[in-house]
Amino acid sequence: MRAARKLVVGMLALAVLSGCQSTSGGANKASNDGGPTVAPTSRATTAGDDAWQIPQHRVAGMMELSGYADHVSVPTGQPFRLFVTSTAGAFTVRAFRIGWYGGAGAKLVWTSSQFPGKAQPQPILTKERMVTAINWSPTTTVQTKGWPAGSYLLLLRASNGKETYVPIVIRSDSARGAVLIVNGVNTDQAYNGWGGFNLYVGGRKHSHDQRSMMVTFDRPYAYNPARGVLHDNLPLVQLAERSGVRLAYATSVDLQADPGLLAGARAIVFGGHDEYWSLLMRQAVTKARDAGTNLAFLGANSIYRRMRYAADPHGPNRIIVDYKDAGLDPVHNAPDTTVNWRQYPFPDPENSLVGMLYECFPASGAFTVREPGFFLFAGTGAKAGSAYPGLVGNEADRAYPIKGTPANLQVVAHSPTTCAKRHTFSDATYYTVKSGAGVFATGTIEWVRALQGPDPKYGVGPASVAFAQKVTLNLFTALAAGPMGRTHPAVGNLAGVHNLASTSTGTGGPVGKGGPGGT
């Protein structure tokens, strides 16, 4: 993944569809496990509050101020425990709900009183090179009565001015009749380097050979302490809430823990980077599609890594297991052996659900329209060959005429793309199934990040932002209306676009073999 643009994320500069989703919030009480009762000190307002942003110079160090919650999501009214270490003095916690809120980007829902600073023990490094702070004692229990469903950032601020985030989702009880936004917490945790190890590198030399075989949600986030939320989720949530459609919220973990949540959903939307999927997650989403629920993959590299969950003392599904090698995985010959989805044993490439395969990293290019009459491109002014610089990056997908690719796959954008020294294409696709569900995929991680505004460093200008925003608004309207295939059946055209089955132009690796690939 590319480096974060800024920790302070710019607001959406939309000129369409005014208004915001109204939510109600009130003062809530937090009690300290083994400590004093924490009284609420503020109430949420109907307006937004830009105090949720952390300037880069205030970001706290790893053990200076950091924390985690014992759940990645809870329903409204269910408490969660917060575990915090602070050598930076006393601190407070403020809960901000991400949304449009007139352009402020978030709303203050709750503020704690002050906690005394306490240095927690150094984290544990297990034999699987998993860094865990399961040995920390709880700082407080946060009550969520009255908190609306949504994506939240808990902002911790120490007396020395240093700040950090703890992300959490207040999940919806049901997605029936709503567009469900899924926060890709598995992928966020896979890349989390807090404590010096993640699923890619580890140790003093940041070596791939010393990578973690498992990672846990029982630790804070490193570097940009909510990178996945800020760049692959926040711009999408802001735009979705401004669209006015009915929304619901959940995380990757919830797709496994409570697949019934998906029943009757109008659509399920995945953000900019949702790479790590368990077998049960994929089964639940496939079942929903086949029952008429639309899907939207607004990124790339989705469903590339097959992982499984394990439990720890804080509960089920707290540990992500991914050896990335069938020979290393003790479960070495099973449908949930932790390899890439396209690899043996039991290869099941992502194209049967997404429509495409992961193609490459690092990718760059201009999103190039192939079918200007595609219904989601309405009102953009796009013509055949219209190119929108910077929208392809930094990972990309491509459609391939191989087993599993939907027969009616419609390639609506076909973008010349450079991956390091390789030249290939990134596609945006659409297909429909018998249930009437439609599945749209942008084929680029940059799509969601571009929704927050221009980024000259990566070549994303105002025209590219306006195009991505308009298409995404069209998408939310279409998703909320019901099965898209009933009014917009896909018209297959892959044969006229790409007839090579080999994946040699990319870095994602071949289909049906072992070995490393991807990022």
Side-chain angles (χ1 to χ4, degrees):
M1 295 180 72
R2 80 174 194 216
R5 296 179 186 175
K6 293 180 181 180
L7 194 56
V8 181
V9 180
M11 295 297 97
L12 294 171
L14 294 174
V16 292
L17 205 57
S18 62
C20 63
Q21 180 169 324
S22 175
T23 58
S24 61
N28 295 296
K29 189 176 182 180
S31 62
N32 194 359
D33 287 4
T37 298
V38 180
T41 60
S42 72
R43 282 187 182 274
T45 62
T46 55
D49 186 342
D50 61 8
W52 64 273
Q53 301 174 16
I54 302 179
Q56 189 67 45
H57 70 276
R58 289 187 185 171
V59 177
M62 179 180 121
M63 293 296 287
E64 183 180 24
L65 178 69
S66 59
Y68 71 90
D70 66 350
H71 292 76
V72 296
S73 73
V74 294
T76 298
Q78 178 177 311
F80 62 88
R81 293 185 298 170
L82 191 61
F83 298 73
V84 179
T85 188
S86 175
T87 60
F91 64 93
T92 58
V93 184
R94 288 177 289 170
F96 290 91
R97 184 185 183 276
I98 294 170
W100 175 241
Y101 301 115
K107 185 181 77 170
L108 180 64
V109 172
W110 169 80
T111 301
S112 76
S113 56
Q114 193 174 76
F115 296 99
K118 174 185 176 181
Q120 299 271 13
Q122 288 294 315
I124 298 168
L125 182 64
T126 72
K127 62 183 178 62
E128 295 86 7
R129 297 187 290 275
M130 179 180 76
V131 176
T132 176
I134 194 72
N135 57 330
W136 287 9
S137 58
T139 302
T140 190
T141 297
V142 179
Q143 305 294 335
T144 66
K145 183 178 180 181
W147 292 24
S151 185
Y152 284 73
L153 291 172
L154 305 180
L155 192 153
L156 282 55
R157 188 167 198 264
S159 56
N160 71 351
K162 292 295 186 175
E163 297 178 329
T164 192
Y165 291 125
V166 177
I168 193 165
V169 170
I170 303 300
R171 70 175 178 268
S172 302
D173 294 329
S174 170
R176 185 171 298 277
V179 175
L180 177 66
I181 296 179
V182 177
N183 193 324
V185 295
N186 291 348
T187 302
D188 296 345
Q189 193 56 249
Y191 284 90
N192 179 17
W194 192 89
F197 291 81
N198 61 20
L199 290 180
Y200 294 87
V201 296
R204 293 181 179 178
K205 296 183 178 181
H206 301 285
S207 166
H208 180 70
D209 292 339
Q210 293 298 307
R211 72 190 184 277
S212 298
M213 303 292 107
M214 305 177 186
V215 291
T216 176
F217 292 109
D218 293 315
R219 61 172 178 158
Y221 284 93
Y223 168 45
N224 171 341
R227 180 174 65 177
V229 174
L230 293 175
H231 300 290
D232 299 323
N233 180 258
L234 180 144
L236 175 63
V237 170
Q238 290 176 334
L239 185 59
E241 295 223 338
R242 193 172 187 187
S243 76
V245 306
R246 183 182 174 193
L247 300 173
Y249 291 89
T251 70
S252 311
V253 174
D254 299 315
L255 301 183
Q256 164 132 345
D258 184 16
L261 173 69
L262 307 182
R266 293 292 178 90
I268 308 170
V269 179
F270 303 95
H273 201 186
D274 208 336
E275 180 178 352
Y276 286 77
W277 285 51
S278 71
L279 182 64
L280 292 181
M281 284 173 59
R282 184 166 178 176
Q283 290 174 348
V285 173
T286 301
K287 181 179 178 180
R289 179 201 63 181
D290 294 345
T293 296
N294 299 311
L295 305 179
F297 296 92
L298 301 185
N301 195 216
S302 298
I303 323 179
Y304 183 67
R305 307 285 192 185
R306 184 164 62 208
M307 46 71 64
R308 62 179 181 270
Y309 292 108
D312 73 10
H314 284 166
N317 306 321
R318 293 296 290 174
I319 294 173
I320 294 171
V321 180
D322 188 4
Y323 287 85
K324 292 186 169 69
D325 187 318
L328 296 176
D329 192 340
V331 183
H332 60 268
N333 189 28
D336 62 349
T337 297
T338 57
V339 292
N340 296 341
W341 276 95
R342 66 181 68 180
Q343 293 177 336
Y344 285 116
F346 300 94
D348 186 7
E350 62 272 22
N351 59 319
S352 65
L353 189 56
V354 177
M356 298 184 280
L357 292 178
Y358 169 61
E359 177 70 353
C360 66
F361 166 88
S364 63
F367 188 94
T368 305
V369 172
R370 187 179 191 277
E371 297 208 350
F374 180 55
F375 71 104
L376 295 181
F377 294 165
T380 65
K383 300 177 181 179
S386 290
Y388 298 93
L391 284 189
V392 175
N394 63 340
E395 298 190 68
D397 291 350
R398 183 174 181 176
Y400 281 93
I402 62 172
K403 180 181 178 181
T405 297
N408 65 353
L409 188 73
Q410 184 175 357
V411 179
V412 299
H414 189 56
S415 309
T417 300
T418 300
C419 285
K421 295 182 180 180
R422 300 175 186 235
H423 296 282
T424 182
F425 287 88
S426 171
D427 294 321
T429 58
Y430 175 71
Y431 74 91
T432 51
V433 295
K434 289 182 179 179
S435 67
V439 180
F440 175 64
T442 63
T444 166
I445 281 181
E446 184 60 37
W447 187 273
V448 168
R449 300 172 189 177
L451 297 177
Q452 67 190 28
D455 185 1
K457 182 177 180 181
Y458 293 95
V460 179
S464 296
V465 172
F467 175 79
Q469 290 176 350
K470 179 58 177 174
V471 172
T472 306
L473 286 168
N474 288 345
L475 173 67
F476 272 102
T477 299
L479 294 173
M484 294 190 295
R486 294 178 183 172
T487 51
H488 302 284
V491 179
N493 65 359
L494 180 57
V497 178
H498 184 38
N499 59 8
L500 297 176
S502 170
T503 60
S504 61
T505 56
T507 61
V511 173
K513 296 183 180 180
T519 64

